[in-house]
Amino acid sequence: MNNYTIVRQEHLNHYGFLFGGALLQWVDEFAWLVASRDFPGCPLVTVGMDRISFRHPVANGSILRFHILPCHQGTTSVRYTVDVFADAPGATKEKEVFSTTITFTHVDVDGHKKTLPRKKVLRSQQAEP
């Protein structure tokens, strides 16, 4: 699944490029949205991100595309790959600027791990309309 946002002035660091914390917040939020749609009715919490790799600085006004796909489902958790591409103002093609893998765990109301329903084909693995 793809999600998009635009980099604005309030997202920049003191060097004038996208602040990494803003990008990590979007990654967590957008991946959680995909996971929540894949597992409706299952409360999910973020438990970790694998290697975080910022590959290129991102300029103000860039359009970011977040490509999010499930890559593994365990008993209580599910993992998604997140690749982020930037289409800088005036650019003719987008560039991959970030990637990670994020894991969500299904929890009960007390925050204890709970078995996640098995999915043969997750919604986000299907072709998008």
Side-chain angles (χ1 to χ4, degrees), residues 3-5 25-35 66 68:
N3 205 335
Y4 298 85
T5 196
Q25 179 180 345
W26 287 324
V27 165
D28 189 22
E29 180 180 349
F30 295 156
W32 179 85
L33 289 169
V34 173
F66 296 77
I68 304 162

Side-chain angles (χ1 to χ4, degrees), residues 64-116:
L64 298 180
R65 177 172 64 94
F66 296 77
H67 185 67
I68 304 162
L69 291 173
C71 60
H72 177 74
Q73 181 180 345
T75 305
T76 61
S77 64
V78 61
R79 194 168 44 203
Y80 289 79
T81 59
V82 181
D83 298 307
V84 182
F85 301 87
D87 192 355
T92 57
K93 65 179 190 171
E94 61 184 20
K95 177 190 312 185
E96 186 174 5
V97 295
F98 178 84
S99 66
T100 193
T101 304
I102 186 168
T103 304
F104 299 100
T105 296
H106 182 208
V107 295
D108 63 20
V109 295
D110 296 318
H112 299 107
K113 291 181 181 180
K114 190 174 175 182
T115 300
L116 195 61

